[in-house]
Amino acid sequence: MVLLTVIIHGTGIFALARFLRIEAREEAEEHIHPMSLRGVGVTLTLVLGLFVLHGIEIWAYAFVYLVLDALPTLSDAVYFSTITYATTGYDDDGFAEAWRMVAAIEGVNGIILLGWSTAFFVTVVARMGRSR
C-alpha cells in the first residue's frame, strides 16, 4: 500500500505540476498576473487536486481494511482510514487487532504524503509571489 500510494501521489503531483507549467506559460504569453482571478482559480484547482489525491489514497486504504475484514462497513473503513491517514488520533475499538500495524503504517504513510503535498504547495505559492 505504501508503494501504491506513493505512485498515485507522485503521478498526481507530476500531473498538477504539468498543469501549472502550462498555465504559467499561458499567463506569461497573455500577461496575466498570477494573483488575478484566473490565478486564484488555478490555486483553488491545485488545492482541490491535492485533496482528491489524498482522498484516493484514503479510500484505497479503506478498501484494504474491508478486504482484510478489519472493519465491518465501508463507512467505518473510510472514517478510520481518514483519521489514521491524517494522524489525528482515533479509537481503534472495533478494528481487528491483527491488522493494527497496517493502520500504524497508514499513519506514517499519510503524514509523509501530506508533507509532500505541503512542500509542493508552498513551492508553488512562493513562485507565484516571486513572479509579481
Side-chain angles (χ1 to χ4, degrees), residues 12-43:
I13 292 282
F14 177 81
L16 287 170
R18 183 180 170 121
F19 163 72
L20 291 172
R21 280 192 302 275
I22 292 168
E23 182 61 29
R25 198 173 316 125
E26 288 178 12
E27 286 177 359
E29 289 172 0
E30 298 175 24
H31 305 291
I32 298 171
H33 194 279
M35 297 306 287
S36 67
L37 188 57
R38 180 174 172 170
V40 170
V42 169
T43 303

Side-chain angles (χ1 to χ4, degrees), residues 8-24 42-54 57 111-130:
I8 291 168
H9 209 78
T11 302
I13 292 282
F14 177 81
L16 287 170
R18 183 180 170 121
F19 163 72
L20 291 172
R21 280 192 302 275
I22 292 168
E23 182 61 29
V42 169
T43 303
L44 291 175
T45 301
L46 172 63
V47 170
L48 290 174
L50 292 171
F51 197 80
V52 166
L53 276 176
H54 291 290
E57 294 151 8
I111 216 59
I112 290 169
L113 297 176
L114 288 164
W116 188 1
S117 290
T118 302
F120 177 71
F121 186 74
V122 167
T123 301
V124 168
V125 171
R127 285 183 186 161
M128 286 172 55
R130 285 193 302 254

